[in-house]
Structure formats: structure tokens, C-alpha cells
Amino acid sequence: MKNEILNLLVKATEQLAADGLLESVPAPELIEVSRTRDASHGDFASNLALKLAKLAKRNPRELASEIVARLPKNSRIEKTQIAGPGFINFFVSKAAARSIISTILAQTAQFGRSDYGAGRSVQVEFVSANPTGPLHVGHGRGAAYGAVVANLLEAIGYRVEREYYVNDAGRQMHILAVSIWLRYLELAGESLPFPTNAYQGDYIWDIGATLHREHGDAYRVPMTEIFTGIPLDEPQQGDKEAHIDAVIERAQTLLGAERYRTVFDLGLHTILANIRQDLASFGVEFDVWFSERELAETGAVERAIEALQAAGYVYEKSGALWFRSTEFGDEKDRVVRRDNGQTTYFASDIAYHLNKMERGFDTVIDVWGADHHGYVPRVRAALKALYGDDSKLNVLLVQFANLFRGGQKVQMSTRSGEFVTLRELRDDVGRDAARFFYVMRRHDQHLDFDLDLAKSQSNDNPVYYIQYAHARIASVMRQLHEKGLQLGEGNLTLLNDPHEEELVTTLARYPELLLNAAQAEEPHQLANYLRELANQFHTYYNAQQFLVDDAALRNARLSLCQAVQQVIRNGLGLLDVSAPEHM
RNA sequence: GCGCCUGUAGCUCAGCUGGAUAGAGCAUCGGUCUUCUAAACCGAGGGUCGCAGGUUCGACUCCUGCCAGGCGCGCCA
């Protein structure tokens, strides 16, 4: 409908130019048509006359009437009107508006989808939490957001690949390995000072126990051999970073490459399996799990550094290798290889993003926690240096979620192990509520997650509110069948009460809404829309009886209900929230 | 100190990429179940859109400067 009106306006402007009222035909992109906010302004409005007034050297209202006079006839437009400073309002004919019901019932699950993306490929990388511990509620938001963005893009015709970047290399993973080993040693009977910087969570004990169960004392080393000659830890007025690094090095020496790798892999695989499980039961699936370690072991990281070097963007300073990222807009240069010879996380990320580009995606989306925002310029710098272009990269930052219970903020800290895991959240409030609450707000806004509200089975809870609308319609249909009746052909022209007209308009808006939400990467638009649709339905439900004796009217109303149900089901589906038949 | 984000009703947030009289939920107050699920509906009050300038036909939206909050400024990831 919107496009139809757009075409009418294009024709009108062409005629306008032909008649000499405009010097040239304005670019079609200049023409805007939008939904009106107020029904008295019709269904659609265009500000075209306001925009062209200056070019045409006429006042906007006068120009508007010239435009209207040149609009081609269209049976789906009932009338037009010039209003306010010079808006052209379009009133869609009721028959044209109602036809959306048949469209929805015919297209079912496809309704709202489009081919805007025309099969172009987009990769969405999200979550990508370090496999050093269970996912917590902060990761949950990125997971829910990323998953829905991917769904939305798919719905408007993109070919989407969902990817999880596994940080299975680097210092944090070594700290994990050592943490597990030390817990194992404690279980084996050694008594030792557990480093401040090691992972404290209970899950470390569990993995240590597995190691002990499967290998007995094969990994046991006397505690004195480990800690003798190691820099002091923090409680002894030492440096906790130097301490843990030395313990890692000692562990590698004492265990040897093979045994060390076994401990390392046990930790990695256990935690990764746990993460996959958590995500799967949260309704989040990935096409690719991309390993950082593999990137390093296949030499991609080295090659990336060499490429930077060959291009002349690398220099050496105080033993380290630096990438001259300031040349591409970063605020300072960045180290890619430390003075101890290890490549940095950033070096891996350069190789990783280069790899993404080489895989040929048309667009690459990174969903990151907002605390990483300072990291964006350096990744862009690397792409500009090595790929010559960073325009395919789109970084979306997700702010943290604060949990509230009983009106109090729940305090969390990862390192100390005092965090609420994603699994606990799901067990607490349920998957549907968790998924919905996570995407209810803009991604770049802090989210106050009210646990009590998410759990409450009350009218305050927006998830249930929407689901209830869906279940209510299912219930009405059950009632119909209990009366021995079937849904038949209705007379849609009987749908002329204001509630029905309002619902029809809202339903017709769904495809536009979806396109908008997807393009803007804003799932909250869909969440808000569904709430509005549910609200209008509940109002309608209270105002009108559906199961009336007049079959033509009954079937018309039930068709409308079915259309509403279909759209709710489609929308909730994109949010990965269930649409129950009973509640 | 520098950079990024945010500031809209008592609270939590929308505001369709610059449009017409700034909206919703919660909370508060008052109503609605002998009728398809009251997990619902109807009504009322509640606003200097942080402050001050600027841009134009038109600003919550764009620009500048302040004020307040969050985050980031490692040879950590």
C-alpha cells in the first residue's frame, strides 16, 4: 500500500515537471510516505509539498493541491486531503484495508517476510564469551539480542550465518587450565595457596574432580615444586599478575606439553559444552563455532601480522611489535606482539576479521558488550590497513543488564564468582520471559531486568499479555468447534466497528514494521508492536462477541481473530518466544 | 583529562531516521465478570522532552556550549 502511494506521488511529480511547475523531476528518494499517527489524518501522509515548496517557489499548501490534482486515479485510495502546513493525507478504502485479512490467512507463516535483502549474505557474530566459565546474565542479553537480529535479517531476505567466536587461546585460558589443575591437586591431597587471580568458581572444582576421577594421581606434582621461586601473590604483597603468569609457565614445564594440553582441553571442552547447552536451551543456535586457537595454529595470526608489516604499518618499540593504528583513526597505536613473544588478543582479532572478509560476506555484524566500545576503532583500523575497507563491518554494542529482585539491584562480579548465570535466570523466570525481557529495550540502553515482574503470572507481565492474546484466540476457536461449528467464509464488509478497523490497520503495518526493525537492528520495535497488537485485540475481545449467530458476521470476526493470531505467532516466533494454545 | 553512550510522566521506557495536539506499561484513584479465559477491559490525574543558544516552513529528533550519570582509555581478554 505504501509503495503504491509512493508510485502515485512519483507519477504526480513527473507530471508537475512536465507542466513546468518544477524545473526537474525530483529524485524518488526525496518522496516520503509515512503512516499517520492520528486517524483523522487518514492512513498515510506525505510531506512532499513541504519539501518541494522552496524548489517550486510556491507555498506548500498551494503546491500540495497541484500535486493532488496530478495524482493518478486509484481505486484503493478513497480520498486525499491537504492538511496542516501542507501535508497530503491519503485515506485507504475500507475494502483495500480489510483485504489484509485474506492476505495474512493465505500467507500464514510467510506473512510479513520480504526479499529486501535479496539473498545478500550477512554474518552475525554474537555471544562469543570466553570459555572460562558459565554464561551469565550479561551474556544472555547479547545472546537474545543477536539471535533476534539474525532472525529479523533472515525474515527480510538476507542469508544469515550465526557465528560464535571461541576465545580458546590466550592468557585467560591458561589461567583456567592452571586453576583446574590446582583444584585437582587439592583434591589429590596437596595443600596449596590458591592464586588470587585464578578462577574461583565452584565449576573449577568440578572439572578438577573429573581430571582426578579419570587420571588419578597421574597429574600430581608436589606443591613445593610448583611454588618455589615463583613471584609472590598479592596477599604476600606481590604482583598477582606476575604470580599467575609464573604459575602457568611452571605448570607447562612440570606437566609437559601433552599433559598440560589435556588439562587445558578438558577445561575448554567441559565449559564449551556447558555453554552450548545453555544457549540451546535458551533457544540460541549457531551455524559456526569459530576457534581462535585454530586461527593461531594454522598461522593466520602470523600471516596477518606479516601482512601489516609488509604494508609498512608495523614498528618495534621496547621489545614489542606495534600496529600503527593511529594512521587509521585510532587514538593510539596498539601492540600485536608482546615483548615476551606472545601475540595479543588484538592480533587474533585482526586475523579473525580478515578471515571474515575473506569468507565473502556482504555484511559482517559483531555484537559486543558496550564495555568494548573503545575496541571498535582499532579493529576498523586493522580492516582499513589490510582490507582497504571497513564498511562491511557493523559493530552493535549491547549495554549491560542489571537485575532487580525485590526492588534491589542484584550485585554481581565475575571474577569472584558472584554472578547470576544464564541458567539460573532461565530456571527462575522461564525462557520466554527471559528472551522477551532482554529484547524489550533498545540495545544501547541499560536494561533494568525486573526478576519479580518477569516471573509474575499477572497482567503486569508483557510476555504473558501477548501470549494470552494468542491463547485466547485459540480458546475461542475451541469454543467454536465445541458448538459443532466450523470457520467458514465470512463477509468482511461487516467489519466496520472502530476496534476492527484499528486492528486491520495494525495488522497491515506488520510487514513495514518488520522491515524497519530489521534494518535498524532493533528487536524492541517488534516487542512493542506485539504488545500494541495484543492490547488492541484484548480491547476488541471485551467489546464484541465473536461467536454470534449470524454466520457471515461470526466468520468475518473469526477471520480477523485468526489473522491477529497469525501475526502474533509470527512475531513471537522471530523473538523465539513460544505462542501457547492454552494458558 | 580525552573518547563513546545516555538524560522524555513518581518508576521503567517508546517516539516510525526532521513532521501535525509528545505516547505506553507500572504505580495512584474510580469503574467492569449470570455472556467466547478478569493473565482482560474502560475512565481520571500526572510533562519546562537535563539547561542555554543555533540551524528552518517545522526540533524530543540535527549542530554548539554547559550540567548530570554510565562505560572505555593495558605489552588483559
Side-chain angles (χ1 to χ4, degrees):
Chain A
M1 197 68 237
K2 195 170 174 177
N3 287 329
E4 229 169 304
I5 293 171
L6 244 129
N7 281 331
L8 297 179
L9 286 168
V10 170
K11 294 268 165 52
T13 53
E14 284 168 3
Q15 193 57 46
L16 218 50
D19 294 348
L21 281 95
L22 279 176
E23 284 180 16
S24 60
V25 181
E29 301 89 73
L30 210 74
I31 304 178
E32 287 173 35
V33 173
S34 58
R35 290 267 175 192
T36 56
R37 204 180 302 168
D38 189 327
S40 70
H41 297 142
D43 299 292
F44 293 90
S46 178
N47 59 358
L48 185 60
L50 293 160
K51 287 195 138 182
L52 294 182
K54 199 174 263 183
L55 277 165
K57 302 193 181 72
R58 281 166 186 267
N59 86 56
R61 286 192 66 109
E62 192 186 325
L63 183 62
S65 65
E66 298 290 355
I67 294 171
V68 168
R70 287 167 179 77
L71 284 171
K73 288 266 169 287
N74 186 304
S75 61
R76 288 159 65 82
I77 305 295
E78 194 176 88
K79 63 166 179 170
T80 56
Q81 174 186 85
I82 296 163
F87 289 105
I88 303 170
N89 293 335
F90 294 86
F91 291 74
V92 175
S93 83
K94 298 211 190 298
R98 278 188 221 107
S99 68
I100 198 70
I101 296 173
S102 319
T103 305
I104 295 167
L105 297 183
Q107 296 185 353
T108 59
Q110 289 304 309
F111 178 71
R113 294 180 168 262
S114 60
D115 62 351
Y116 173 85
R120 285 191 297 271
S121 64
V122 49
Q123 183 213 43
V124 184
E125 182 222 321
F126 59 114
V127 190
S128 301
N130 286 351
T132 52
L135 294 177
H136 57 71
V137 292
H139 301 125
R141 189 173 186 194
Y145 175 72
V148 177
V149 166
N151 291 346
L152 287 172
L153 290 171
E154 214 160 55
I156 63 163
Y158 284 93
R159 213 170 64 240
V160 178
E161 195 164 299
R162 297 158 176 84
E163 180 155 312
Y164 187 119
Y165 179 55
V166 184
N167 294 123
D168 51 4
R171 185 163 171 263
Q172 295 304 322
M173 286 305 294
H174 289 291
I175 296 177
L176 175 76
V178 161
S179 304
I180 291 167
W181 185 50
L182 293 177
R183 288 306 192 203
Y184 156 88
L185 289 173
E186 289 184 74
L187 289 168
E190 294 293 327
S191 162
L192 52 85
F194 199 71
T196 315
N197 238 6
Y199 287 96
Q200 310 281 338
D202 286 344
Y203 61 95
I204 301 294
W205 283 110
D206 296 340
I207 305 171
T210 303
L211 186 66
H212 191 240
R213 190 168 60 245
E214 290 179 358
H215 299 279
D217 279 351
Y219 289 72
R220 187 163 178 179
V221 171
M223 132 344 162
T224 47
E225 284 189 39
I226 303 169
F227 289 97
T228 307
I230 294 283
L232 293 177
D233 199 1
E234 197 167 64
Q236 289 77 47
Q237 272 66 52
D239 178 350
K240 60 181 178 177
E241 306 290 347
H243 178 73
I244 194 82
D245 281 338
V247 174
I248 290 168
E249 215 170 304
R250 183 65 55 86
Q252 287 170 324
T253 319
L254 292 173
L255 286 171
E258 199 177 312
R259 281 194 300 169
Y260 181 80
R261 174 98 177 199
T262 305
V263 177
F264 187 103
D265 282 353
L266 177 67
L268 170 63
H269 295 145
T270 307
I271 289 172
L272 207 53
N274 189 284
I275 287 174
R276 277 177 194 255
Q277 179 56 47
D278 278 355
L279 287 169
S281 43
F282 197 56
V284 178
E285 302 277 355
F286 290 89
D287 302 304
V288 177
W289 294 75
F290 194 98
S291 161
E292 179 190 2
R293 188 164 76 182
E294 218 164 288
L295 206 56
E297 288 175 354
T298 56
V301 178
E302 286 304 325
R303 282 199 300 278
I305 293 175
E306 282 161 19
L308 281 175
Q309 239 159 351
Y313 297 128
V314 172
Y315 62 91
E316 207 178 318
K317 193 178 85 183
S318 49
L321 228 48
W322 298 70
F323 165 42
R324 207 185 301 278
S325 57
T326 46
E327 208 154 302
F328 301 94
D330 197 5
E331 56 187 23
K332 55 170 292 196
D333 291 341
R334 309 292 174 177
V335 171
V336 289
R337 192 197 307 282
R338 298 208 266 157
D339 58 4
N340 66 7
Q342 283 175 6
T343 56
T344 57
Y345 173 87
F346 178 47
S348 294
D349 239 4
I350 295 172
Y352 179 43
H353 281 84
L354 196 58
N355 174 282
K356 288 187 183 200
M357 293 299 135
E358 284 164 355
R359 277 189 272 168
F361 299 109
D362 294 309
T363 306
V364 164
I365 295 178
D366 287 3
V367 178
W368 291 351
D371 55 334
H372 286 64
H373 69 80
Y375 198 75
V376 179
R378 77 187 72 165
V379 173
R380 289 198 176 284
L383 278 181
K384 280 182 226 164
L386 285 181
Y387 190 69
D389 174 25
D390 68 338
S391 64
K392 287 183 179 179
L393 176 66
N394 185 197
V395 182
L396 302 175
L397 301 173
V398 178
Q399 289 286 353
F400 283 135
N402 291 315
L403 297 186
F404 283 80
R405 198 192 303 277
Q408 295 292 309
K409 187 170 164 180
V410 180
Q411 295 299 332
M412 284 180 286
S413 140
T414 310
R415 184 51 64 100
S416 63
E418 299 162 18
F419 52 81
V420 179
T421 64
L422 182 58
R423 177 166 300 194
E424 285 164 349
L425 176 74
R426 208 190 65 240
D427 292 345
D428 192 7
V429 307
R431 171 177 152 179
D432 286 342
R435 289 293 301 262
F436 190 88
F437 271 63
Y438 270 134
V439 297
M440 206 163 56
R441 304 292 179 221
R442 298 179 55 95
H443 61 93
D444 55 1
Q445 294 270 6
H446 288 275
L447 172 71
D448 284 348
F449 196 124
D450 186 335
L451 292 167
D452 304 313
L453 178 61
K455 244 192 318 199
S456 75
Q457 302 207 343
S458 76
N459 45 355
D460 306 350
N461 191 331
V463 193
Y464 289 126
Y465 185 79
I466 297 164
Q467 289 181 321
Y468 182 41
H470 184 272
R472 250 186 167 175
I473 295 166
S475 169
V476 170
M477 295 311 291
R478 282 194 297 274
Q479 292 283 332
L480 176 78
H481 298 139
E482 276 170 28
K483 291 186 176 186
L485 297 170
Q486 294 298 320
L487 176 61
E489 195 74 18
N491 180 359
L492 297 185
T493 61
L494 298 173
L495 298 179
N496 48 25
D497 108 29
H499 297 112
E500 290 161 342
E501 288 172 3
E502 187 186 49
L503 270 172
V504 160
T505 305
T506 302
L507 290 174
R509 236 178 47 192
Y510 180 68
E512 297 159 28
L513 177 283
L514 212 55
L515 183 62
N516 229 315
Q519 285 177 304
E521 289 120 357
E522 292 184 345
H524 77 276
Q525 288 193 30
L526 178 56
N528 288 340
Y529 169 85
L530 291 173
R531 183 149 40 163
E532 191 183 331
L533 178 60
N535 176 11
Q536 288 176 11
F537 171 75
H538 287 308
T539 299
Y540 179 40
Y541 180 97
N542 278 40
Q544 292 287 359
Q545 191 77 15
F546 305 151
L547 300 178
V548 292
D549 291 336
D550 177 354
L553 180 61
R554 182 179 67 230
N555 286 329
R557 287 184 175 161
L558 290 177
S559 296
L560 174 57
C561 287
Q562 295 254 281
V564 170
Q565 191 188 33
Q566 184 69 56
V567 171
I568 292 178
R569 192 182 304 141
N570 292 359
L572 287 179
L574 290 172
L575 299 179
D576 287 316
V577 173
S578 69
E581 301 283 316
H582 297 268
M583 283 180 80

